[in-house]
Amino acid sequence: MEKYRYRPLRFYIICFAVTWFFWILAAVISCSEHDNGVSSLMMLFGLIAPAVTAVITVFTSGSRALKDDFKRKLIGFYRIKPTSIIVAVVAFMAIVALSILLSVLVAGQSFEQFAFTKDFSFSIGGTSALLTILLAAVIEEVGWRGYGEDSVAAYVSWFTESIIFGFVWALWHLPLFWIEGTYHYGLRMLGAGYMLNFLISVIPLGFLTTWVYVKNNRSMLACIIFHLFVNTMQEKIAMTPQTKCVETIVVFFAAVVVVLANKELFFEKEHIGNLL
C-alpha cells in the first residue's frame, strides 16, 4: 500500500483562509451597534476551522493508516504517560510563579497576582467562560495535533517543526486583536508592545506543547489536558499584562531547558516519513 503523503501547505492555507474570513467578519460586526451575538458565532466558526479541516482531510484521505492514527491519538488513553503530564503541569505552575516573583522584584508589581481572578476574560456566544476555554482547548488540539503538527513533522525534525508551527500558530491568532470583547482586543488597547508579546510568547509555548505531544506518543488527549491547564492558569491567575511580558522570557528559558534535556526527542529524524 502506498504511503500517505502529508500536505501541510494545503492544510494551513485552508485553515487561515476560513478562520480569518470568519474572524475578520467578527471584527467588523463586533464594532457595529447591531451585533446581537453574531460576532460570537463568527468567532466560533473561525475557531473550529482547523479542527474541521483536519477531520475532513483525514477522513477523505483514503488512507486507513491516517484514519486509525487519528483515532488512536484522540481516544488512545494507553498512549498517555501520567508522569510526563504531571511534570508538564508542575513546570508551567513554576513558570507562572517565577514570572510573578520576578515581576515583583524587578518591575514593582504586586504579590496580589498570586490570587485568583473573579471571572474569565472572555466567553463565546453566552457560553460559560470555563466551558469556552475547555471547548477551545479541545477544538484547537483536534486541528493542530490531529493533522497540522504531523503534516510538518513528516518532513523535518520536531525542533524545526516547533519553530515553524510556533510562527504559524502565532499568526493564526492575529485577527482576534480587532474583535471587541476578546482578551487579544484588550491587549491591543494597552499598546502594540503587548500584542507583540503575545505573538512572541506563543512560539516557545509551542515547544512545550510539542514536548508533551511527542513524550506521550503523539497523544492528542495529552495536549488537550495540557492546553486546558495552560489556558486556565493564564485566565484565573491574576497576572498583570506587565507580568505576562516577564512570563514570555521565563517560558523561553523553560523551552530551552526542555529542548536541551530532550535533545534526542527534538533532533532525531527517524520519524520523518514514518509517522504512521
Side-chain angles (χ1 to χ4, degrees):
M1 183 181 293
E2 186 178 348
K3 278 188 175 182
Y4 175 76
R5 182 171 175 268
Y6 284 96
R7 293 172 172 82
L9 190 60
R10 183 183 70 179
F11 174 79
Y12 283 110
I13 286 175
I14 294 172
C15 287
F16 270 71
V18 177
T19 294
W20 281 24
F21 171 77
F22 285 114
W23 283 357
I24 289 171
L25 274 180
V28 173
I29 295 169
S30 71
C31 296
S32 73
E33 296 179 357
H34 308 288
D35 185 344
N36 296 322
V38 177
S39 64
S40 293
L41 189 61
M42 295 299 101
M43 279 182 62
L44 179 61
F45 287 161
L47 176 66
I48 67 176
V52 172
T53 304
V55 170
I56 292 175
T57 299
V58 169
F59 289 97
T60 62
S61 66
S63 170
R64 172 57 59 185
L66 185 66
K67 296 174 188 177
D68 290 343
D69 185 59
F70 182 92
K71 294 173 187 175
R72 285 192 295 267
K73 288 192 297 183
L74 183 58
I75 61 176
F77 293 93
Y78 62 89
R79 287 187 173 219
I80 294 179
K81 297 178 179 178
T83 303
S84 68
I85 296 291
I86 293 171
V87 169
V89 166
V90 170
F92 196 78
M93 289 174 63
I95 287 170
V96 170
L98 181 58
S99 299
I100 293 174
L101 286 173
L102 287 174
S103 75
V104 171
L105 295 173
V106 177
Q109 298 293 300
S110 170
F111 274 110
E112 292 180 1
Q113 293 177 95
F114 281 107
F116 290 106
T117 58
K118 292 182 179 179
D119 202 357
F120 294 89
S121 65
F122 71 98
S123 63
I124 296 178
T127 306
S128 75
L130 182 59
L131 181 58
T132 297
I133 284 182
L134 173 60
L135 288 174
V138 173
I139 291 169
E140 280 198 53
E141 293 307 324
V142 168
W144 303 138
R145 253 50 69 175
Y147 189 87
E149 187 161 14
D150 286 350
S151 71
V152 178
Y155 302 100
V156 296
S157 70
W158 290 107
F159 179 82
T160 303
E161 182 278 328
S162 296
I163 295 174
I164 294 171
F165 177 73
F167 278 100
V168 170
W169 193 22
L171 290 175
W172 179 75
H173 289 86
L174 208 54
L176 291 173
F177 290 104
W178 281 267
I179 303 176
E180 286 192 20
T182 64
Y183 167 76
H184 308 77
Y185 183 87
L187 291 179
R188 187 169 73 87
M189 293 298 97
L190 290 174
Y194 294 103
M195 291 173 58
L196 184 61
N197 176 70
F198 174 85
L199 296 173
I200 292 173
S201 71
V202 169
I203 298 171
L205 183 60
F207 277 87
L208 301 185
T209 308
T210 295
W211 171 56
V212 171
Y213 179 58
V214 182
K215 199 74 174 176
N216 286 276
N217 301 303
R218 295 171 49 249
S219 169
M220 212 185 303
L221 186 57
C223 289
I224 289 171
I225 295 170
F226 182 64
H227 194 152
L228 176 60
F229 179 79
V230 169
N231 282 358
T232 304
M233 288 286 286
Q234 293 295 88
E235 283 286 314
K236 289 303 292 179
I237 302 299
M239 285 188 289
T240 64
Q242 293 81 2
T243 297
K244 288 192 176 181
C245 293
V246 175
E247 184 187 37
T248 297
I249 299 171
V250 178
V251 171
F252 171 79
F253 282 105
V256 170
V257 170
V258 166
V259 170
L260 291 177
N262 297 271
K263 285 191 281 189
E264 184 176 350
L265 182 155
F266 279 99
F267 293 102
E268 61 83 17
K269 295 184 178 181
E270 293 178 6
H271 71 274
I272 296 176
N274 299 301
L275 279 178
L276 302 178

